[in-house]
Amino acid sequence: MSGIVGIWNMDGRRVDPELLDRLAEEQRHRNADGEGLWRDDSIAFKFQNRWITRESLGEIQPLVRYGSVVMFDGRLDNREELFNALGEQDLAGGDSDAGFVAAAYRRYGEEFAAKLEGDFAIALYDLTQQKLILARDGIGVRPLYYAQIGHSVLFASECKSILAHPECSRAPNRDMVSAYCLACFGQEREGWTFYEGISTVLPGQILVFAPEGIRKRIYWELEAGEFLKLGNYDEYVEAFREAFTRAVMVRLRSAFPVVVSVSGGLDSSSILCSAETIRRRRRLPCPDVRGAHLRVEETVLGDEDEYVRSIEGMYEISVDRVSPSGSGLISGPALEGLRCIEAPYLRGFTDFGHPLACSARSVGARVVLSGFFGDQLLSNRSYLVDLVRRARFRTLWQHVGTLEEYELGSKFDLLEQALHETLRGALPLSFWRLLRRLRAQLRRDRSWFTSESWRRARQAEAIQEFAYAGSAHQRGLYAMARAMYYAAALEWTNKYDASHDIETCYPFYDRRLIALVMSIPGEIVSHHGVPKALLRRAMQGVLPTAIEERSSKGDVTYEFNEGVGQYLDDEWGGAELSVRHGFLDEKRTRDWLASVRSRVHEDGCENSWLIADVVGLELWLQSIQGRHFQPLGG
C-alpha cells in the first residue's frame, strides 16, 4: 500500500515544507517506489508510491489532471464498467487507477466515490472550487485519518504522521480505549481512533473541507432488501461461486507474484485453490501465485499440515512452510509493534516479526491474500432467529442438531440462544443495556477497570447500536461487517503490513460478496445446518475432499494460554501507565492477575484474552511515549 500525507492551512498561511517532511517521515516505510510532492502555498500533498498493478508501474502521484490533484491508495475493481461509462475522451484503457478517479470526479463531482469499487483511500483537491475531499471504500480496508489543529487540516494514512505535528496531542482517546477494552463493539459512527483529536474517515464516507466548513456523509452502505429468490439450491451455489471467484480474481491483479496465506482451513484453502483454478484457465492477472503456510506445532486436534499437503498433491504445487518468530504471547519488538498498529491489540499470538511477509518478499510478492472474515460471513447463526419467527421448528431442530455435530454448541444451548435473541428483538434496547449492566455488576465483570472506564464504555455502547432493518440473518451479517472491532482490525493490519512492505487483501471482505450472502436466506447459506455449506458446495471439485468435508478447525488454545502464563511469569512489569491514565484500578488489577494466573487454562481462552487486553493496553501506552517510529520489516 502507498502513503497519503497532506496539510491545508485554511487561513492562507504557507505550508512549512519542513513540517510536511516531518509528517511524511513517520510513514516512510510506505515509500517503496518514490515520493511525489505537490504544493500551492497553503496546501501541500506528499504521496509515498508503492506500485502493485501493471497500470501503476512508473507512476508518481500526486496526479494533477482535469483541474484536480489526486492521491489514490488502493485498487479499483470495476475499471471496465468505469471505462464504459466515462468513455475514451477521458480515459485510456491502460490508465492508472488514479487516472480513473480523476476522470470520475470530473464527470460526477462529489458523487464520484459512489461509482468506485475496490479497496481504497482517496485525498483529492479541487483546484477550481478550492475544496479538499477525503474518501474511503465501502468496507474500509485502507485507512485514512485526519485532524483539525487550529486553522489547519492534516490528513494521512497513519495516525503517527499526524502525531508528529508539534501541536497535536498524544493523549489516548479515553472513550475509544474504554469501549475497546470493555468489549462495546457496536457500529462506530463517530470516527474515533485510539488518539484524542485524531479521527478516521469511516468506511463508505466522504468528507468535504471548504472555507465555509466541513461536510460529511455516507455515500455507500450495505442495504437490506428482499431475499434473492432462485429456482433451486444449485442456482444459489452458482451465484455464490461466481461472486467468490470474482472476489479472488480482482485481488490477484498485480504486476508481481501474489501469495495466499493458507492455514489448511476451508476459507484460505478455497482462495488458494480458486487461484490455482484461475491459473489453469489462463486467466491469472498476475505473474504467479504461491501458497505460504504458517506452521505451528501439532495441536490437540491434529496437524494442519496434512490439509496443506492435500492441496499440494491435487494441484502439484509446493506451499512454503513458515515458522513463527517465537512461541510466546508476543514475538518481535513489542513496543514498536504496538506503535506500528496504533492500537492496544494483543488478542491471539502477536508475531511482530511477520514471517508471512518474509515469505512473500522472498518470491518478490507485494500482495498476500487472507481468508479472514470467512467465518464471520458464512458461519453466522443469526438465521436461527428467523426460523423461530417463521415457526419453522422442524427445520430449526434439524439445523441445531447438525451444528451440534460440527461442535458449534449443544442443540439446547443453540435453541436457547435463538429464543433469547427472538425475545431481545421484541423488547426495547434500553432494557437490554440495563440488564447487561446488572449482570456485569453481579458477575464482577472486569472489575479491575475503573468506574470511569465503565462509564465511558457504556456511553459508547449507547451510541454504537446497530440501526439496521431486515431479517435477523441480514442484521447479524451487517453487525459483523460494520462492527467497530473488525473496522479497527482492518486498519491496524494495514499498518502492520505496510511496515513489512506487503499488503493483505481479503476476498471474503468483498462488498459484492457480502451483499450477495445477505440476500440469501440463512438456512440456504448453512444448508441443512452445515456450516459454510454454500462455500463447500461451490468448491466441490476445486478443494481436496478432505478440506471440503472438514468439521473441525485448527485450535491453538493450549499454546496461547501457555504463552500468556509464561509472559506473566517472565515479562510482566505491572500496569503503571494504565493506572496513571485512569483505565485500571491498581489494587484490583494486581489481585486479579495474582488469582487468575493459575486459571489460564480454564474456560477456553477467556481468561487469557482478558489478561492479553490488560497487557496490550499497558504496552501500547508505553509505546506512544516514544517520539519516532522505526519500521518493523527489512
Side-chain angles (χ1 to χ4, degrees), residues 417-485:
Q417 292 170 15
L419 292 172
H420 177 270
E421 288 302 315
T422 303
L423 181 62
R424 181 186 178 92
L427 294 172
L429 292 173
S430 57
F431 170 82
W432 294 106
R433 283 200 292 267
L434 176 61
L435 183 63
R436 179 180 173 180
R437 292 178 191 177
L438 293 173
R439 184 184 300 165
Q441 291 174 1
L442 290 172
R443 293 173 53 193
R444 303 292 294 167
D445 189 20
R446 282 165 286 194
S447 60
W448 45 96
F449 282 90
T450 63
S451 58
E452 175 64 11
S453 293
W454 272 106
R455 184 187 69 79
R456 290 179 180 272
R458 288 166 184 150
Q459 284 184 335
E461 184 179 40
I463 63 175
Q464 289 177 351
E465 296 288 355
F466 292 102
Y468 189 81
S471 69
H473 166 68
Q474 291 171 325
R475 288 200 304 275
L477 288 180
Y478 181 87
M480 288 293 181
R482 286 292 183 240
M484 181 187 81
Y485 176 82

Side-chain angles (χ1 to χ4, degrees), residues 50-103:
R50 187 170 184 275
W51 304 325
I52 298 293
T53 66
R54 289 183 175 90
E55 295 84 2
S56 70
L57 296 177
E59 177 184 56
I60 298 295
Q61 296 185 45
L63 176 68
V64 183
R65 187 180 294 181
Y66 304 138
S68 62
V69 185
V70 176
M71 292 195 290
F72 176 85
D73 169 32
R75 183 199 69 253
L76 286 182
D77 294 341
N78 63 331
R79 285 170 56 91
E80 184 176 350
E81 296 169 18
L82 283 171
F83 184 77
N84 292 335
L86 295 171
E88 296 183 6
Q89 68 272 21
D90 289 334
L91 286 169
D95 213 341
S96 71
D97 288 357
F100 273 68
V101 171

Side-chain angles (χ1 to χ4, degrees), residues 106 203 217 227:
R106 182 192 191 190
R217 65 181 175 85
F227 277 129

Side-chain angles (χ1 to χ4, degrees), residues 143-159:
L144 186 59
Y145 304 98
Y146 67 97
Q148 294 178 277
I149 300 177
H151 295 287
S152 299
V153 178
L154 284 67
F155 51 96
S157 298
E158 301 189 16
C159 293

Side-chain angles (χ1 to χ4, degrees), residues 294-493:
L294 183 61
R295 186 174 186 182
V296 297
E297 294 297 322
E298 186 170 333
T299 71
V300 295
L301 292 182
D303 186 1
E304 293 294 293
D305 196 61
E306 68 174 288
Y307 297 106
V308 177
R309 291 195 297 271
S310 71
I311 297 175
E312 291 177 315
M314 182 172 181
Y315 287 95
E316 298 179 339
I317 60 174
S318 178
V319 173
D320 187 25
R321 267 60 170 186
V322 182
S323 298
S325 302
S327 58
L329 171 63
I330 309 170
S331 300
L335 295 186
E336 282 302 323
L338 287 165
R339 185 158 186 257
C340 165
I341 66 175
E342 302 174 342
Y345 173 80
L346 276 185
R347 286 292 181 100
F349 289 112
T350 306
D351 192 341
F352 290 120
H354 210 329
L356 284 173
C358 299
S359 176
R361 290 199 302 267
S362 71
V363 297
R366 295 189 171 192
V367 172
V368 174
L369 301 192
S370 166
F372 173 65
F373 205 68
D375 285 340
Q376 291 80 358
L377 180 63
L378 297 170
S379 294
N380 194 293
R381 297 193 289 275
S382 299
Y383 76 94
L384 297 176
V385 175
D386 294 324
L387 295 180
V388 173
R389 289 174 176 167
R390 303 203 307 265
R392 295 185 58 186
F393 299 118
R394 180 178 298 178
T395 302
L396 176 66
W397 183 251
Q398 177 195 38
H399 280 237
V400 297
T402 305
L403 290 168
E404 184 179 59
E405 292 173 10
Y406 278 82
E407 300 180 356
L408 295 177
S410 76
K411 59 170 69 77
F412 294 105
D413 286 343
L414 292 166
L415 284 172
E416 181 182 0
Q417 292 170 15
L419 292 172
H420 177 270
E421 288 302 315
T422 303
L423 181 62
R424 181 186 178 92
L427 294 172
L429 292 173
S430 57
F431 170 82
W432 294 106
R433 283 200 292 267
L434 176 61
L435 183 63
R436 179 180 173 180
R437 292 178 191 177
L438 293 173
R439 184 184 300 165
Q441 291 174 1
L442 290 172
R443 293 173 53 193
R444 303 292 294 167
D445 189 20
R446 282 165 286 194
S447 60
W448 45 96
F449 282 90
T450 63
S451 58
E452 175 64 11
S453 293
W454 272 106
R455 184 187 69 79
R456 290 179 180 272
R458 288 166 184 150
Q459 284 184 335
E461 184 179 40
I463 63 175
Q464 289 177 351
E465 296 288 355
F466 292 102
Y468 189 81
S471 69
H473 166 68
Q474 291 171 325
R475 288 200 304 275
L477 288 180
Y478 181 87
M480 288 293 181
R482 286 292 183 240
M484 181 187 81
Y485 176 82
Y486 292 122
L490 289 175
E491 294 180 12
W492 65 55
T493 301

Side-chain angles (χ1 to χ4, degrees), residues 9 19 21 37 48 83 114 178 314 331 345 484 556 572 582:
N9 294 327
L19 177 60
D21 288 344
L37 170 67
Q48 293 148 327
F83 184 77
S178 299
M314 182 172 181
S331 300
Y345 173 80
M484 181 187 81
V556 291
W572 176 242

Side-chain angles (χ1 to χ4, degrees), residues 168-363:
C168 184
S169 169
R170 303 180 67 86
N173 181 339
R174 297 178 182 277
D175 293 318
M176 178 67 168
V177 172
S178 299
Y180 171 80
C181 290
L182 293 170
C184 298
F185 298 148
Q187 181 177 3
E188 212 290 280
R189 298 184 180 88
E190 302 300 313
W192 286 345
T193 70
F194 288 99
Y195 301 92
E196 190 69 44
I198 300 179
S199 300
T200 181
V201 181
L202 294 172
Q205 186 180 52
I206 184 169
L207 279 67
V208 181
F209 296 86
E212 60 271 20
I214 177 175
R215 290 181 282 115
K216 305 178 184 180
R217 65 181 175 85
I218 298 297
Y219 71 84
W220 185 86
E221 183 58 287
L222 288 163
E223 304 225 347
E226 294 293 324
F227 277 129
L228 183 65
K229 296 180 180 179
L230 299 178
N232 53 52
Y233 182 61
D234 287 341
E235 291 182 13
Y236 286 106
V237 170
E238 182 55 36
F240 177 86
R241 182 188 296 114
E242 181 179 337
F244 178 68
T245 301
R246 178 190 179 275
V248 174
M249 173 82 88
V250 296
R251 288 162 179 79
L252 291 172
R253 181 176 155 239
S254 173
F256 307 92
V258 173
V259 166
V260 179
S261 172
V262 57
S263 66
L266 187 61
D267 305 330
S268 61
S269 298
S270 294
I271 295 171
L272 178 57
C273 292
S274 292
E276 285 296 330
T277 301
I278 292 169
R279 183 213 298 271
R280 279 155 175 71
R281 294 173 180 169
R282 302 186 182 280
R283 297 172 56 203
L284 200 64
C286 61
D288 193 14
V289 173
R290 302 289 187 90
H293 173 57
L294 183 61
R295 186 174 186 182
V296 297
E297 294 297 322
E298 186 170 333
T299 71
V300 295
L301 292 182
D303 186 1
E304 293 294 293
D305 196 61
E306 68 174 288
Y307 297 106
V308 177
R309 291 195 297 271
S310 71
I311 297 175
E312 291 177 315
M314 182 172 181
Y315 287 95
E316 298 179 339
I317 60 174
S318 178
V319 173
D320 187 25
R321 267 60 170 186
V322 182
S323 298
S325 302
S327 58
L329 171 63
I330 309 170
S331 300
L335 295 186
E336 282 302 323
L338 287 165
R339 185 158 186 257
C340 165
I341 66 175
E342 302 174 342
Y345 173 80
L346 276 185
R347 286 292 181 100
F349 289 112
T350 306
D351 192 341
F352 290 120
H354 210 329
L356 284 173
C358 299
S359 176
R361 290 199 302 267
S362 71
V363 297

